[in-house]
Amino acid sequence: MKIATVVGARPQFIKAAPVSRELRKRHQEILIHTGQHYDANMSDIFFDELHIPRPDYNLEIGSGSHGRQTGAILAKVEEVLLEEKPDALLVYGDTNSTLAGALAAAKLHIPVMHIEAGLRSFNRNMPEEINRVLTDHLARWLFCPTDTAVANLASEGITAGVYQIGDVMYDAFLYNRELALAQSSILDQLNLNPKGFILCTIHRAENTDDPQRLGEILRAVSAAPLPVVLPLHPRTRKIIQEQGLSSLLGSKVQVIDPVGYLDMIALESACRKLMTDSGGVQKEAYFAQVPCITMRDETEWVETVETGWNTLAGADSKRILEALASAAPPAGQPPIFGQGDSARRFVSIIEENGERQ
Ligand code: UD1
Ligand code: UDP
């Protein structure tokens, strides 16, 4: 098959790495980078470290309001699809690049494949929720990471073309963990002792765009019982500067630039606990068997909470600090994200069903 893949944001490069590797063994892939993320440490570093093939097209869309960014990607992806005439279009997750890519293809009657389909927070204030719901309703093939995702689709009447393949991020994590532990020197660089620090990430719009929520989170981070390492997303760095909130960050917080994936795995594997509002990092906490405190009011990754490895603490400094103090996951972990063979399963399914779709 000839498959056009649209990626644009950091987590999509990581998800695409194992899938592209598997897909290209027997199929042709045209890789389209929308340019939604463009800083070297938000984009190029992942292509280099994960040996992702260079994009065939970089649309260089850059940042913008939701409508402007989504619309610009839609128009440019359409041009590429008209030129390339792929058999299908593959998108990941829930960003503006995901929705714009899916919409461009669906309008041209090119079947859409959605990896990480069926996730729901049931919070329509999140841009990601709008992107996911619409992408799932445009998709012909829906690849779900969890049973909950399959059930979410069923409750919206989507049952055809739905496959539970596990989570491709687990494939990526397993593939790169040994490399990360052998190669990364980030602990030495930052002078960190294994299990002697907390790792934190903050970037979700519902937190960064609300000064009250962001202030509460920064207060909690500063009052954490151990030193905190905070690789800061450019969105959050910009808003902290604009809002004059940097004084809320205490001396025990090490703010650093976003790190590459190998350094991130090394930090996740060595930290005592994780504080985050990221989707991917919640899952990686589970993969690394580290307790996670999620600074959101809901999560799409409900299994991580149900199994006792993740605690929802909202954006309330008291709740976050209580969760940090009390997080004590049980021994053992059920395999809620599959076996690390999701990319292979994805390719087998499209090969088995390609003729019939
Ligand atoms: C996007 C996704 C979000 C995902 C996240 C992963 C949408 C609506 N949101 O959020 O679901 O979790 O990516 O990280 O698609 N910026 C830079 N350099 C970059 C990229 C961004 O400085 O390379 C800054 C710009 O000021 C930009 C802001 O970050 O306006 C937000 O970037 P954008 O891509 O719009 O959204 P994210 O917050 O990154
Ligand atoms: N990540 C990274 N460096 C960082 C922060 C995150 O490599 O400084 C990785 C992280 O390991 C995970 C992915 O980026 O694989 C998560 O992306 P992000 O948190 O930006 O988005 P989300 O998953 O919330 O959509």
Side-chain angles (χ1 to χ4, degrees), residues 117-145:
L119 274 295
R120 295 291 181 269
S121 65
F122 303 101
N123 175 0
R124 290 276 174 118
N125 290 323
M126 292 177 71
E128 293 85 359
E129 186 76 353
I130 310 282
N131 292 340
R132 300 179 184 121
V133 170
L134 294 176
T135 302
D136 284 339
H137 283 261
L138 293 168
R140 175 92 60 88
W141 309 61
L142 302 100
F143 297 95
C144 297

Side-chain angles (χ1 to χ4, degrees), residues 82 136 165 227 286 300:
L82 287 170
D136 284 339
I165 59 166
Y286 191 85
E300 303 76 36

Side-chain angles (χ1 to χ4, degrees), residues 111-279:
V112 174
M113 301 169 162
H114 187 201
I115 288 187
E116 216 175 73
L119 274 295
R120 295 291 181 269
S121 65
F122 303 101
N123 175 0
R124 290 276 174 118
N125 290 323
M126 292 177 71
E128 293 85 359
E129 186 76 353
I130 310 282
N131 292 340
R132 300 179 184 121
V133 170
L134 294 176
T135 302
D136 284 339
H137 283 261
L138 293 168
R140 175 92 60 88
W141 309 61
L142 302 100
F143 297 95
C144 297
T146 60
D147 293 336
T148 306
V150 175
N152 288 339
L153 291 178
S155 71
E156 291 173 24
I158 303 176
T159 51
V162 175
Y163 303 91
Q164 211 274 44
I165 59 166
D167 199 308
V168 295
M169 283 189 96
Y170 190 37
D171 296 26
F173 187 86
L174 291 180
Y175 189 87
N176 289 288
R177 180 168 49 186
E178 266 178 48
L179 204 61
L181 298 183
Q183 285 187 4
S184 170
S185 58
I186 188 88
L187 296 188
D188 289 342
Q189 282 170 40
L190 301 178
N191 209 9
L192 297 168
N193 293 320
K195 299 299 162 193
F197 68 97
I198 292 167
L199 177 63
C200 177
T201 75
I202 312 162
H203 78 281
R204 189 71 47 204
E206 75 209 54
N207 288 331
T208 59
D209 294 5
D210 180 337
Q212 163 75 18
R213 288 180 73 94
L214 186 55
E216 282 286 307
I217 288 172
L218 296 182
R219 274 187 209 96
V221 170
S222 297
L226 285 172
V228 176
V229 177
L230 178 57
L232 207 50
H233 191 291
R235 169 190 205 102
T236 319
R237 186 180 283 276
K238 194 169 143 218
I239 292 174
I240 288 176
Q241 272 160 8
E242 280 169 5
Q243 303 280 333
L245 295 174
S246 39
S247 59
L248 291 180
L249 285 167
S251 58
K252 282 198 311 182
V253 184
Q254 251 195 101
V255 178
I256 57 173
D257 284 334
V259 295
Y261 185 57
L262 299 182
D263 282 345
M264 191 65 183
I265 292 184
L267 288 169
E268 289 170 337
S269 303
C271 68
R272 176 86 66 91
K273 285 178 186 160
L274 246 158
M275 306 167 73
T276 192
D277 59 8
S278 157

Side-chain angles (χ1 to χ4, degrees), residues 14 16 67-68 76-77 86 153 157 186 237 243 249 339 352:
I14 293 161
R68 189 174 290 275
K76 287 210 174 178
V77 170
L153 291 178
I186 188 88
R237 186 180 283 276
Q243 303 280 333
L249 285 167
Q339 308 296 335
E352 283 162 22

Side-chain angles (χ1 to χ4, degrees), residues 11 36-39 63 66 95-96 128 203 233-235 238:
Q36 177 171 348
H37 286 176
Y38 45 84
D39 289 347
S63 305
H66 287 284
T95 71
N96 289 346
E128 293 85 359
H203 78 281
H233 191 291
R235 169 190 205 102
K238 194 169 143 218

